[in-house]
Amino acid sequence: MTPQEEIEALIARVAMGDRGAFRQLYDRTAAKLFGVCYRVLRDEAQAEEVLQEVFLRIWDRAGRYRANGYSPMTWLITVSRNAAIDRLRSLRGKGQAVEPIEIAERLYDPAPGPETQTVMRDEARLLDICLRELPPERAEMVRRAYLEGRSYRELAEEGGVNMNTLRTWLRRSLIQLRECLSR
């Protein structure tokens, strides 16, 4: 059984409420997911808190995961990244100073093994190619909203557009990206 198949099997068992599988999934993935949270937040205590929230989400949402040929780590990393970005936005909303995050730092991870590194590089390269198909200002909005964790309100104010227009642009851009990534 490949590592991907093992993690998929653990997620399936977690979806059925198997606490032993949950423990194994935690042991196999916590360090990597902590790294994702830490790269976004740059604060160890915040990253640890978010990691706890991530595993609660995984426990609650494991039944929603569908093995579709993509790495199950992609799903776990997405849940982690989104939770960390939510926390980052929350901290910004409370007026706490948050150091800006470079996109390249989030995409680069020295911890994964060679196979994971190759997959991540391929996914980042494909995303970059697809982002280049968007008009430059729309690609920048997508980067700022989904990679930097900027709020729609911030982007609308900075871009001088109303919020509904911004949402429409982002929705259309994401549809275009999804189509591009599925080719």
Side-chain angles (χ1 to χ4, degrees):
M1 186 179 280
T2 67
Q4 178 175 331
E5 291 169 335
E6 288 176 34
I7 292 174
E8 284 177 351
L10 289 172
I11 292 171
R13 289 175 42 207
V14 168
M16 294 184 290
D18 184 332
R19 290 174 187 238
F22 185 70
R23 234 176 273 114
Q24 288 177 344
L25 183 65
Y26 180 89
D27 291 342
R28 297 271 318 269
T29 62
K32 168 77 174 160
L33 300 182
F34 173 80
V36 170
C37 296
Y38 183 78
R39 273 190 312 282
V40 171
L41 295 163
R42 295 185 183 203
D43 180 280
E44 192 171 330
Q46 290 287 340
E48 287 174 359
E49 283 184 32
V50 170
L51 184 65
Q52 288 180 3
E53 293 172 19
V54 164
F55 275 96
L56 289 173
R57 288 181 187 184
I58 291 168
W59 177 261
D60 292 336
R61 299 177 186 173
R64 295 182 191 165
Y65 172 77
R66 297 290 174 256
N68 55 9
Y70 295 109
S71 167
M73 282 305 294
T74 302
W75 179 72
L76 295 170
I77 289 167
T78 299
V79 171
S80 301
R81 186 185 64 77
N82 290 346
I85 288 173
D86 288 347
R87 175 65 60 95
L88 186 65
R89 286 178 176 162
S90 169
L91 292 172
R92 279 187 185 149
K94 293 177 182 173
Q96 295 184 15
V98 178
E99 188 175 316
I101 300 165
E102 295 294 325
I103 293 170
E105 288 178 327
R106 269 201 239 127
L107 293 177
Y108 176 73
D109 181 8
E115 178 186 5
T116 304
Q117 285 181 357
T118 302
V119 169
M120 288 174 66
R121 273 193 303 271
D122 289 345
E123 289 173 352
R125 201 172 302 123
L126 181 57
L127 178 60
D128 187 53
I129 289 168
C130 291
L131 281 169
R132 281 190 245 142
E133 290 183 11
L134 296 174
E137 68 279 356
R138 304 284 166 80
E140 184 60 26
M141 282 188 182
V142 168
R143 282 186 187 98
R144 292 170 67 202
Y146 300 106
L147 296 177
E148 294 177 13
R150 305 296 294 271
S151 72
Y152 288 179
R153 177 169 280 117
E154 289 173 321
L155 292 173
E157 289 171 2
E158 291 169 8
V161 297
N162 75 39
M163 198 105 93
N164 288 335
T165 301
L166 177 84
R167 284 188 181 123
T168 300
W169 288 351
L170 286 172
R171 187 179 75 250
R172 288 180 182 164
S173 296
L174 290 177
I175 290 168
Q176 251 185 288
L177 284 174
R178 183 175 52 222
E179 289 171 359
C180 176
L181 291 169
S182 66
R183 286 188 229 142

